[in-house]
Amino acid sequence: MQTTDERNLETIPVGSLGIIPLESCKTLGEKINAYLVKWRQERNHADAATVAFEGYQRDNYIIQAETPRFGSGEAKGIIKESVRGDDLYILVDVCNYSMTYSLCGEVNHMSPDDHFQDLKRVIAAVGGKAKRITVIMPFLYESRQHKRTGRESLDCALALQELVDMDVDNIITFDAHDPRVQNAIPLHGFETVQPAYQFIKGLFRAAPDICLDPQHLMVISPDEGGTSRAIYMANVLGVDMGMFYKRRDYAHIVNGCNPIVAHEFLGTDVEGKDMIVIDDMISSGGSVIEVAKELKSRKAGRIFICATFGLFTNGLDKFDLAYEEGLFDFILTTNLVYQTPELLSKPYYINCDMSKYIAYIIDTLNHDASISSLLNPNERIQKFLAKKKRQRAEALAKQ
């Protein structure tokens, strides 16, 4: 990861930094806060004593906020301290289904709709007093309903417009299902961040002996929609890529979508090569397991499944079974969405922590500095790969 010295942080902050992690994003927010506290206590600015840097070094940047509910299930947003003139960063995980609330005496699990409403409640509680509001929503709300085919709602576009209408200045998300949805808010900030660097680091944790050359490794896109993601990963690693496309039954709809009839493969020979299957999310997991099965039938080597969001909407049983059958070796997902203790305990699971990366983004934006180098991780990836190559050469020399 890029060090703080490589960024221009001598500029005056936009405002006093404040982080509001909603309850759904509490753990991630605490990790981000710890990094920011550490960095700013170690940093010495020439103008640190001036009024522009008042409150710059603090023991805590988290601003307490709550969204309590009435017995009817209705709620309200509460900010527990002043945010006047602050540069606010509000974090929400719309996929955190572990949270519950009482509705007329019944226990309800919170849906993405509930989390999005709570986000708007907190923004409303700020009441326009903040200097700037940035929403960090790792899984973009309604991102799979990003385009209209027939008489359908455009939920993601509407949600983005709602946020900017509430004076949100910037929206930061990760691996948006379709980045073109930002066309709904062309005059406001929208950034979609890729976790490619964290995945590569995770791959070396999972398999330190992995060989990054075209003879031993390929990157696979499980569908045509994710080819750009796979092409980027293949290019930075200097290996080949392949893709599957899904043949669907458009005459029927099952669970809201057309069922997949078959996965067809396009690419070079995979025999004996390790496979990186990369996608934006694992939902039920049926597609990636089917892709892994197809690759194994073609005599592929180890299979590493990388997905930014591990939703596992149908549980982990099918993954346990596929792992026991040898269909894949490791699954890598980020901590940008809720992770169950069961998932974290699995022998095949590698957690890619994104808290430090988000802390870098917040720290840089608070100084109104460019985050272009943070959004394009190619330079950091190449440095990391060069380091691993040197370490491997040194280890071979000692043998």
Side-chain angles (χ1 to χ4, degrees):
M1 175 58 70
Q2 186 179 21
T3 65
T4 52
D5 295 331
E6 293 174 315
R7 295 171 293 138
N8 178 20
L9 301 180
E10 295 301 321
T11 55
I12 293 174
V14 172
S16 181
L17 176 60
I19 305 172
I20 304 180
L22 272 64
E23 192 66 27
S24 61
C25 228
K26 185 177 179 181
T27 302
L28 182 63
E30 289 172 348
K31 289 183 177 182
I32 292 167
N33 179 64
Y35 280 115
L36 290 167
V37 169
K38 178 177 181 292
W39 294 340
R40 294 199 168 192
Q41 286 179 347
E42 295 172 349
R43 191 176 298 152
N44 293 313
H45 278 283
D47 301 316
T50 64
V51 67
F53 282 82
E54 184 178 354
Y56 186 79
Q57 295 178 327
R58 302 205 303 270
D59 293 330
N60 185 26
Y61 296 98
I62 292 179
I63 293 169
Q64 297 299 322
E66 291 182 356
T67 52
R69 289 183 179 263
F70 302 102
S72 61
E74 298 165 294
K76 62 181 177 180
I78 303 172
I79 303 289
K80 294 198 164 184
E81 54 192 280
S82 173
V83 293
R84 186 177 295 275
D86 284 1
D87 183 22
L88 292 183
Y89 296 82
I90 306 176
L91 292 91
V92 59
D93 173 13
V94 299
C95 295
N96 192 338
Y97 62 89
S98 70
M99 296 179 59
T100 60
Y101 64 92
S102 177
L103 174 59
C104 299
E106 299 292 333
V107 175
N108 261 24
H109 283 267
M110 289 187 68
S111 71
D113 293 344
D114 293 319
H115 287 298
F116 187 68
Q117 286 300 118
D118 279 355
L119 169 66
K120 292 194 293 181
R121 291 180 177 112
V122 169
I123 296 170
V126 171
K129 304 299 190 296
K131 183 73 173 289
R132 186 175 70 176
I133 297 176
T134 299
V135 169
I136 299 179
M137 186 187 297
F139 185 95
L140 185 61
Y141 173 69
E142 288 287 3
S143 57
R144 286 191 280 184
Q145 188 51 29
H146 59 97
K147 63 183 178 181
R148 176 177 283 155
T149 53
R151 297 183 185 90
E152 295 180 346
S153 57
L154 284 170
D155 296 65
C156 190
L158 286 171
L160 294 177
Q161 290 177 351
E162 277 191 271
L163 292 179
V164 300
D165 286 345
M166 296 182 76
D167 289 332
V168 171
D169 296 275
N170 301 297
I171 298 167
I172 297 174
T173 188
F174 285 77
D175 211 350
H177 195 66
D178 187 346
R180 291 174 296 182
V181 76
Q182 67 186 288
N183 293 338
I185 50 168
L187 300 181
H188 291 77
F190 180 96
E191 303 291 351
T192 177
V193 187
Q194 298 290 333
Y197 176 61
Q198 286 75 16
F199 280 149
I200 291 171
K201 290 174 68 176
L203 285 169
F204 274 92
R205 290 204 312 274
D209 62 335
I210 191 168
C211 292
L212 304 182
D213 60 61
Q215 290 74 41
H216 297 92
L217 185 68
M218 275 184 71
V219 178
I220 304 294
S221 173
D223 55 45
E224 61 276 21
T227 50
S228 60
R229 191 181 299 107
I231 288 170
Y232 179 83
M233 179 73 89
N235 283 343
V236 297
L237 294 178
V239 299
D240 294 329
M241 67 86 60
M243 65 161 281
F244 285 85
Y245 71 90
K246 299 171 183 174
R247 282 201 291 118
R248 294 182 179 271
D249 178 6
Y250 287 100
H252 301 91
I253 295 177
V254 179
N255 294 329
C257 63
N258 302 105
I260 298 167
V261 176
H263 290 81
E264 305 290 352
F265 181 66
L266 298 174
T268 58
D269 185 22
V270 304
E271 185 174 354
K273 297 178 183 177
D274 290 339
M275 301 284 116
I276 300 174
V277 180
I278 187 164
D279 207 355
D280 58 340
M281 71 181 77
I282 296 174
S283 185
S284 65
S287 290
V288 289
I289 290 176
E290 187 63 31
V291 164
K293 188 181 296 183
E294 290 288 337
L295 290 171
K296 282 296 184 182
S297 71
R298 291 169 170 80
K299 300 181 181 179
R302 294 177 296 183
I303 293 179
F304 307 94
I305 299 172
C306 300
T308 307
F309 306 108
L311 305 181
F312 303 103
T313 55
N314 290 353
L316 297 171
D317 290 345
K318 68 171 63 176
F319 291 94
D320 293 342
L321 182 60
Y323 178 67
E324 290 169 7
E325 292 175 354
L327 295 182
F328 70 88
D329 293 82
F330 289 97
I331 292 178
L332 295 83
T333 72
T334 70
N335 63 337
L336 294 171
V337 293
Y338 171 67
Q339 299 163 301
T340 64
E342 181 190 8
L343 174 66
L344 294 171
S345 69
K346 295 297 181 183
Y348 54 77
Y349 181 69
I350 302 293
N351 176 33
C352 299
D353 187 1
M354 300 297 293
S355 57
K356 189 175 184 180
Y357 193 16
I358 297 174
Y360 271 118
I361 291 172
I362 291 174
D363 197 22
T364 307
L365 286 176
N366 182 236
H367 282 269
D368 215 15
S370 172
I371 60 171
S372 297
S373 59
L374 288 170
L375 297 178
N376 183 4
N378 182 53
E379 185 178 344
R380 297 193 305 280
I381 290 172
Q382 297 309 322
K383 285 182 179 178
F384 177 79
L385 295 179
K387 177 184 175 183
K388 289 296 180 182
K389 190 175 181 179
R390 286 196 306 271
Q391 290 175 346
R392 189 167 290 174
E394 290 170 1
L396 288 173
K398 291 178 180 178
Q399 291 178 359

